[in-house]
Amino acid sequence: MLFFLLAVIFTVMLYLIMRAYPRYQVDSFHAVVFNYYSCVLTGLVLTPDPAVFMEVRWTAEGTALTMALGAMFVTAFLLIGLTAQKVSVTATSLAGNMSLVIPVLFGLFVFRNNNKVFTGLNYLGLALALVALALGAIQRSREPAGAANTAGPKQTLWIFPILTFFASGTNNTLINFLSSRYYPAGQITVFMIIACLGAVVIGTSILVYRMVVHGHKLKFRSVLGGLILGVPNFLSLYFLLLALAAFGNSAAYVFPIYNILTMLVSALAAWVLYKERLNTLNKWGLLLAVAAIVLISYQELNL
């Protein structure tokens, strides 16, 4: 249970740290790039036997595809940061957790690797997840009263949670596919480090291009913000994997509870630290999200 709670805490820390970036004038893209340097270092520290990397075939198809996954890592993380900053931490958590619908649908209809028969209640849960996402995406702009931009920017805020939903879902689908196809169970940490190395290469290349061609300035605060972010980023996955192992690798049992707790703790932490308030539709979205996750996995929860 300790691993379970640590996974939730470090996941919520991700949203809260990225939400704080504008206050400290941290460039989100620069921070995301250096976040993956920190992820790689954290992963290496936690790897029991670094010699395992000597066995990696760096020219193999699986390794190349895993490195390419780094591009999706960077994209998804940028969208998470934008959603947390422009909309709310709760909306970010909701979009990220509801994105489980995408890998579930791919598992059912594309990969056909689902280990249970879906019932009408399970499909109802998937539908409710989409409704919950839509309700959670409706937010008020943080522009101060009397600001020049009016209905236009406020009406377009919903796009950030939607994009985060699709990016996170695609990311998780690719992680599930590549890790299960190319890596044995004991090499999940190796898989994540290789993917983060890909993110380092891709993100750094884009960053250097921006600095050389467009004259972007790299600030120490952005580098530091990214290095700080990378630790909970890697640890959130690390402890989630340990929690899965502790519960007999029952993903269908662990992920629903993990997602529910992450959403609820995110909403509470955002209210305490940033005074974020949910409107009526957001509250309904949060309740529907909990109901959706329960319905999707009610068999494993023994309900």
Side-chain angles (χ1 to χ4, degrees):
M1 185 56 69
L2 176 61
F3 296 146
F4 202 99
L5 295 176
L6 287 173
V8 171
I9 290 171
F10 283 116
T11 301
V12 173
M13 283 179 63
L14 291 178
Y15 304 142
L16 298 177
I17 291 172
M18 298 193 82
R19 169 69 172 80
Y21 279 172
R23 176 185 297 179
Y24 297 100
Q25 299 179 331
V26 172
D27 185 291
S28 293
F29 177 73
H30 296 175
V32 165
V33 172
F34 282 94
N35 141 79
Y36 286 109
Y37 282 88
S38 185
C39 281
V40 172
L41 291 175
T42 304
L44 290 174
V45 169
L46 294 173
T47 301
D49 183 15
V52 71
F53 291 97
M54 300 296 293
E55 303 173 5
V56 175
R57 295 172 53 205
W58 294 98
T59 57
E61 177 186 65
T63 305
L65 291 174
T66 304
M67 292 282 286
L69 178 62
M72 197 63 229
F73 275 23
V74 174
T75 301
F77 228 68
L78 282 174
L79 287 169
I80 288 172
L82 286 171
T83 305
Q85 294 160 21
K86 294 181 178 296
V87 186
S88 71
V89 170
T90 302
T92 309
S93 174
L94 183 62
N97 286 290
M98 288 296 91
S99 68
L100 69 87
V101 170
I102 295 177
V104 167
L105 290 176
F106 267 81
L108 282 171
F109 301 112
V110 180
F111 304 138
R112 300 183 182 279
N113 58 0
N114 198 58
N115 57 5
K116 74 171 183 178
V117 178
F118 259 50
T119 67
L121 288 178
N122 296 137
Y123 286 110
L124 176 61
L126 294 176
L128 284 182
L130 298 177
V131 176
L133 173 67
L135 294 176
I138 300 174
Q139 301 285 329
R140 295 179 179 178
S141 173
R142 287 202 183 100
E143 296 298 324
N149 57 343
T150 55
K154 294 180 183 179
Q155 293 174 355
T156 59
L157 286 176
W158 60 268
I159 194 65
F160 292 105
I162 299 297
L163 290 175
T164 297
F165 168 80
F166 282 108
S168 297
T170 302
N171 209 14
N172 291 333
T173 301
L174 292 173
I175 288 174
N176 291 341
F177 173 70
L178 292 176
S179 63
S180 63
R181 179 165 182 173
Y182 295 105
Y183 297 86
Q187 290 191 358
I188 296 300
T189 303
V190 175
F191 163 71
M192 292 307 302
I193 291 176
I194 293 174
C196 288
L197 277 174
V200 166
V201 172
I202 293 168
T204 302
S205 300
I206 298 174
L207 178 59
V208 170
Y209 172 81
R210 286 185 172 188
M211 293 173 65
V212 173
V213 177
H214 299 289
H216 284 202
K217 303 293 185 181
L218 184 62
K219 296 180 179 179
F220 175 74
R221 67 182 63 191
S222 298
V223 176
L224 180 61
L227 294 177
I228 292 173
L229 180 68
V231 177
N233 185 13
F234 194 91
L235 290 180
S236 62
L237 177 63
Y238 177 74
F239 284 114
L240 183 58
L241 293 174
L242 290 179
L244 279 168
F247 284 91
N249 290 315
S250 179
Y253 174 78
V254 170
F255 279 109
I257 300 176
Y258 164 77
N259 289 347
I260 291 171
L261 286 178
T262 299
M263 287 187 295
L264 296 178
V265 174
S266 295
L268 177 61
W271 176 70
V272 171
L273 296 177
Y274 297 115
K275 308 304 179 186
E276 286 186 1
R277 296 184 180 276
L278 304 179
N279 60 43
T280 302
L281 292 178
N282 299 157
K283 293 176 182 177
W284 278 107
L286 201 58
L287 288 174
L288 283 180
V290 174
I293 293 174
V294 170
L295 287 173
I296 291 171
S297 302
Y298 75 91
Q299 298 100 320
E300 288 76 17
L301 298 174
N302 296 317
L303 298 178

